[in-house]
Amino acid sequence: MADTTPAWERVRGIVPVSLCDWPGKIVCVLFAGGCNLRCPTCHNPTLAWNWQMLPTLGRDGVLTDLRRRRRWLDGLTLSGGEPTALEGLEELLNDLAAAGLPIKLDTNGSAPAVLERLLRAGLVQTLAVDVKGPWELYPDLTGQTMSAMDALGRLEQIFELAREFPDRIYFRCTKVPRLSEADLVRTRAQVPSDLPLVFQDFVPAMT
Ligand code: SF4
């Protein structure tokens, strides 16, 4: 069957087995190209902004591979880029769900309405949401693509969602060089104390 959706055309990367992309689980990670932000410390700038340069994986090949390896995997992570920016995201997730694996989605937190829709529809089991740093540093941290007010407003909607869907959403902050120890403390303080925030090490992009 031919690829039919733009979302499938953007699936341009795979890590067949990962032990560190969904805490406690062995997962396959798929990467979808394209991102609405321009973080200067982006971990995968080619995928985020020049995804057309990468080869497509193809719907049928990916689904066949996942079905074949399903018994050795605990789940699947859809990362990016920014998956919520994909046209046809729901169709993509429906296709992936047919492989019989729970799905975690990684997101930069810019689209709370999309995340709410996915949770209510049962299309994802877990969300990992970026908190880039203190609100006032968001313009710097996102290449001037998200203001402090915008970040605060969007993340506050996701905090509410996290309370409505307990244990389904966790927050992540990458310790990029721009963030001082004091910034990390402020980042923890701006996320409600009853919600999980994981700090992860910064790994420079290969390209
Ligand atoms: S949100 Fe993620 S993928 Fe997008 S530019 Fe920032 S680091 Fe890169």
Side-chain angles (χ1 to χ4, degrees), residues 60-71:
D60 290 355
V62 170
L63 294 179
T64 300
D65 174 55
L66 287 174
R67 287 196 190 98
R68 184 175 57 80
R69 297 191 298 118
R70 178 171 51 191
R71 75 182 71 174

Side-chain angles (χ1 to χ4, degrees), residues 89-139:
L89 174 61
E90 277 91 342
E91 290 87 338
L92 174 65
L93 289 170
N94 264 317
D95 281 354
L96 292 172
L101 289 164
I103 298 173
K104 163 180 165 275
L105 186 128
D106 292 343
T107 174
N108 61 26
S110 62
V114 175
L115 302 182
E116 180 175 1
R117 205 165 65 227
L118 298 181
L119 283 169
R120 295 203 189 290
L123 284 170
V124 292
Q125 280 63 56
T126 296
L127 295 171
V129 181
D130 291 344
V131 180
K132 301 287 186 189
W135 306 130
E136 66 273 21
L137 295 185
Y138 257 75

Side-chain angles (χ1 to χ4, degrees), residues 34-45 47-49 80-82 107-108 130 132 141-142:
C35 186
N36 54 327
L37 303 187
R38 290 290 182 275
C39 308
T41 51
C42 182
H43 56 96
N44 201 340
L47 185 83
W49 310 317
E82 174 52 30
T107 174
N108 61 26
D130 291 344
K132 301 287 186 189
L141 294 167
T142 64

Side-chain angles (χ1 to χ4, degrees), residues 41-57:
T41 51
C42 182
H43 56 96
N44 201 340
T46 304
L47 185 83
W49 310 317
N50 295 301
W51 53 270
Q52 299 90 338
M53 295 169 60
L54 302 170
T56 55
L57 297 185

